[in-house]
């Protein structure tokens, strides 16, 4: 039975070529879109590693004033910390959470080397952002007079530079005269938000000479915009002709999310339309195919085929074609994990493949269902009568 | 073997109603070779289709081997068509994408026959119609007479007791036509009951019995 139908499909391969190409192409598109969606989803499910609720970011601008800038920023920070509404405040380089700013550099340890995001900050950031330590500690007063520069790294960096080792106490050469020493490891730190890929991160202390002018302020629950206005007014009173702008991290997080979600949604919509199109095309082709084969259907019925076996024949044919197309598609798709195209987990690719396979079979079945059913309902006498 | 009682067939479309068969009473006995004649449009094919369970009468009863089949569901009808009946059509109805051998195997697909046995039976059937040298050919590579012989092989491969032929020689010249008739006569001699629609008087005369239709009514 099966051999008979395989022969039939094989002998009709030229007629089927276009259909195969169509299914193959939609499989690949689906695979691409799903990889994109799933990697975002996977990122989303990974914790960002800090808390942004009640945290404000104040961006200072010194404008023309260039005298004693680091000291002025420090005194502003001290002033901010003095408010009862403020739980904790930290200075930070301009790559504060959910901004577009980046400060990455490569770091190496022995033979390993990787790109990492550098955050310059102070001893209290872990409190301001409620960062969970996994090993060791955040840098503190005990490091101030040390000859090395203390570092806190995230686990991703540990995996890259110190695989299988305890990184605490390890030193990394910074330049000819300076050393970094790892004092702590945090779980994750995804500064760009949930959709960001978990990448290596390094926190190093600000020095007295650094001009970094972002201040993260963790306020007490219930603190409102009135305090914000007072805060800005007070700060600006301290430094003439400076500027100060406050944004809530919850707001910038939303903006950052939209940057990721908008393309995801656009991609999703486009590919949904594409799949609907493919589905309709398939439906049309199958309908036509069945209309052309009414004679064959009538004949098979006359020879003893039941309605069910006619339905199954047509469904089976499309499944064989889909399987063949998917197989061709998989040959392409497996190249991505094999050749490590894009820095992505093989798991994501495999999951995308699996989901794409299921979706293609679903679409194909859905589109073939009705025509196949119609085919089985054709009255044999009528079908035979026609040609 | 086949018995029709008060069979009536009405084709209804939205605008017209055609009475294709009117009160047909008819019995075909085992081993008979019956021919059906009549002018075009008088209902010959309709009658054959009803006898072959390809179509349902609007009224009346059909008995096959003494059993009424009106209430039969799709599965049972398909089984009857498959096991009891063999069809031969004027336009052959071969599947162009299948070889001669694969075409002949079709009825055996719908019963439990192993691939090996199917091949053997198909070969045998093709031998009976004198086409064993064309098994790997495709229908497009055959003449009309050869195509009809493939169709006959397909009709007999499942060893049905009844063969229904709707103008089997209609598309063929008289030499080919006589060849086909000879094959049918041989099958009849071997025990098959044959009902054949024809336009050809000389062929009808070579059968046991002639049924004449006129405008859906049996006149002889
Ligand atoms: N599916 C159908 N729908 C409507 N009318 C039909 C249908 N099939 C047949 N008829 C009508 O029924 C009548 C009998 O048709 P049938 O095909 O049985 O004639 P026939 O005797 O086989 O003719 P021919 O010798 O030309 O093959 C005709 O008038 C035809 O128009
Ligand atoms: Mg006819």
């Amino acid at each position: 039975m099966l051999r008979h139908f395989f022969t039939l499909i094989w002998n009709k391969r030229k007629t089927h070529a276009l259909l195969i190409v169509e299914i193959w192409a939609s499989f690949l598109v689906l695979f691409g879109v799903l990889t994109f969606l799933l990697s975002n989803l996977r990122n989303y499910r990974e914790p960002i590693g800090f808390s942004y609720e009640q945290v404000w970011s104040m961006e200072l601008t010194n404008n023309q004033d260039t005298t004693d800038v680091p000291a002025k920023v420090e005194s502003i920070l001290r002033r901010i910390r003095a408010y009862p509404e403020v739980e904790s405040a930290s200075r930070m380089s301009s790559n504060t959470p959910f901004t577009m700013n980046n400060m990455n550099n490569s770091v190496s340890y022995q033979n390993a080397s990787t790109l990492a995001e550098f955050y310059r900050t102070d001893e209290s950031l872990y409190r301001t952002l409620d960062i969970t330590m996994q090993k060791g500690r955040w840098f503190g007063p005990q490091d101030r007079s040390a000859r090395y520069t203390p570092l806190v790294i995230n686990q991703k960096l540990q995996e890259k530079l110190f695989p299988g080792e305890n990184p605490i106490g390890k030193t990394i050469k910074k330049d000819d005269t300076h050393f970094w020493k790892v004092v702590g490891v945090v779980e994750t730190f995804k500064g760009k938000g949930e959709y960001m890929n978990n990448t290596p991160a390094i926190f190093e202390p600000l020095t007295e000479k650094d001009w970094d002018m972002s201040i993260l302020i963790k306020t007490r629950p219930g603190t409102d915009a009135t305090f914000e206005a007072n805060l800005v007014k007070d700060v600006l009173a301290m430094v003439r002709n400076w500027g100060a702008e406050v944004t809530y991290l919850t707001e910038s997080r939303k903006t950052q999310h939209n940057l990721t979600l908008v393309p995801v949604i656009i991609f999703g919509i486009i590919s949904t339309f594409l799949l609907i199109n493919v589905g309709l095309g398939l439906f049309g082709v199958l309908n036509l195919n069945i209309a052309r084969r009414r004679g064959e259907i009538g004949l098979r019925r006359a020879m003893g085929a039941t309605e069910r076996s006619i339905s199954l024949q047509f469904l089976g044919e499309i499944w064989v074609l889909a399987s063949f197309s998917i197989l061709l598609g998989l040959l392409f798709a497996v190249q991505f994990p094999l050749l490590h195209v894009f820095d992505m987990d093989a798991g994501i690719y495999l999951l995308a493949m699996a989901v794409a396979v299921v979706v293609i079979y679903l679409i194909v079945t859905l589109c073939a269902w009705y025509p196949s059913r119609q085919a089985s309902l054709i009255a044999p006498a009528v079908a035979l009568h026609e040609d | 073997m086949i018995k029709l009682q008060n069979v009536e067939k009405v084709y209804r479309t939205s605008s017209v109603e055609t009475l294709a068969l009117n009160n047909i009473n008819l019995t075909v006995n085992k081993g008979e070779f019956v021919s059906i004649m009549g002018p075009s449009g008088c209902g010959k094919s309709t009658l054959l289709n009803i006898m072959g369970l390809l179509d349902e009468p609007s009224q009346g009863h059909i008995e096959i081997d003494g059993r009424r089949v009106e209430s039969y569901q799709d599965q049972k009808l398909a089984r009857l068509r498959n096991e009891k009946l063999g069809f031969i059509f004027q336009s052959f109805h071969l599947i162009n994408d299948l070889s001669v051998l694969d075409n002949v195997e079709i009825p055996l697909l719908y019963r439990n026959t192993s691939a090996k046995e199917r091949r053997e039976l198909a070969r045998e059937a093709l031998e009976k119609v004198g086409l064993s040298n064309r098994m790997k050919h495709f229908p497009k590579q055959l003449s009309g007479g050869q195509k009809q012989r493939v169709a006959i092989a397909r009709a007999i491969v499942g060893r049905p007791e009844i063969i229904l032929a709707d103008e089997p020689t209609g598309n063929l010249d008289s030499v080919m036509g006589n060849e086909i008739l000879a094959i049918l006569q041989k099958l009849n001699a071997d025990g098959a009951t044959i009902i054949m629609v024809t336009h050809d008087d000389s062929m009808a005369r070579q059968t046991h019995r002639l049924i004449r239709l006129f405008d859906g009514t049996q006149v002889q």
Side-chain angles (χ1 to χ4, degrees), chain A residues 1 3-5 7-8 11-12 295-296 299-307 309 313 380-381 384 387, chain B residues 49 54-55 74-75 78 81-82 87 89 91 93 95 97-99 102 106-107 109-110 115 118-119 138 154:
Chain A
M1 187 96 172
R3 195 168 64 187
H4 174 87
F5 291 115
T7 314
L8 187 60
N11 291 348
K12 288 166 85 85
E296 174 186 340
L299 176 91
R300 289 187 186 274
R301 292 297 300 281
M303 301 287 126
T306 55
E307 287 171 16
S309 60
Q313 178 191 342
L384 286 165
D387 45 24
Chain B
N49 285 340
L54 293 179
D55 210 344
D74 176 53
Q75 285 236 338
R81 285 183 210 125
N82 182 260
F87 289 92
F89 308 95
S91 51
H93 281 300
I95 296 174
D97 293 303
L98 289 175
S99 69
D102 286 324
I106 291 174
L109 293 173
Y110 301 107
R118 285 206 304 264
R119 285 276 114 137
F138 281 83
R154 183 182 59 194

Side-chain angles (χ1 to χ4, degrees), chain A residues 286-333:
Chain A
L286 294 175
N287 255 330
L288 190 72
N289 190 5
I290 284 162
R292 279 215 203 98
R293 292 169 69 182
R294 285 170 75 88
E296 174 186 340
I297 294 163
L299 176 91
R300 289 187 186 274
R301 292 297 300 281
M303 301 287 126
T306 55
E307 287 171 16
R308 215 175 94 86
S309 60
I310 295 288
S311 276
L312 281 179
Q313 178 191 342
F314 283 93
L315 270 180
E317 278 185 21
I318 192 67
W319 278 333
V320 169
L321 293 182
S323 306
F324 186 68
S325 314
I326 286 171
L327 211 70
L328 284 183
L330 283 175
L331 284 182
F332 274 77

Side-chain angles (χ1 to χ4, degrees), chain B residues 44-46 90 166-167 197:
Chain B
K44 304 183 294 294
S45 299
T46 306
Q90 178 176 359
D166 194 351
E167 298 188 48
V197 172

Side-chain angles (χ1 to χ4, degrees), chain B residues 119-161:
Chain B
R119 285 276 114 137
E120 264 163 36
L121 289 171
R123 264 174 232 270
E124 245 173 68
L126 281 165
E127 260 162 44
K128 275 193 196 153
V129 298
L131 266 185
S132 26
N133 54 343
R134 293 283 189 280
M135 292 196 286
K136 293 271 179 284
H137 284 58
F138 281 83
K140 290 223 167 84
Q141 303 163 326
L142 300 177
S143 74
Q146 288 170 331
K147 282 187 200 173
Q148 195 57 297
R149 282 191 276 161
V150 175
I152 295 177
R154 183 182 59 194
I156 62 173
V157 72
R159 311 227 163 104
E161 294 162 43

Side-chain angles (χ1 to χ4, degrees), chain A residues 114-177:
Chain A
T114 184
L115 203 66
E117 181 75 13
F118 278 74
Y119 300 94
R120 263 200 310 270
T121 185
D122 60 23
E123 293 165 1
S124 64
L125 185 79
Y126 75 103
R127 254 187 286 128
T128 309
L129 289 181
D130 199 7
I131 300 171
T132 343
M133 299 300 301
Q134 196 190 44
K135 284 194 198 88
R137 55 175 175 83
W138 198 262
F139 38 80
Q142 65 267 55
D143 301 307
R144 282 178 197 165
S145 52
R147 273 186 294 146
Y148 54 80
T149 307
L151 277 191
V152 171
I153 64 174
N154 69 351
Q155 206 198 322
K156 202 73 186 175
L157 187 75
Q158 176 192 335
E159 285 164 14
K160 296 262 177 177
L161 288 195
F162 313 101
E165 292 178 65
N166 183 357
I168 305 293
K170 293 271 172 10
T171 52
I172 301 173
K173 208 172 161 204
K174 185 179 179 184
D175 51 48
D176 286 342
T177 48

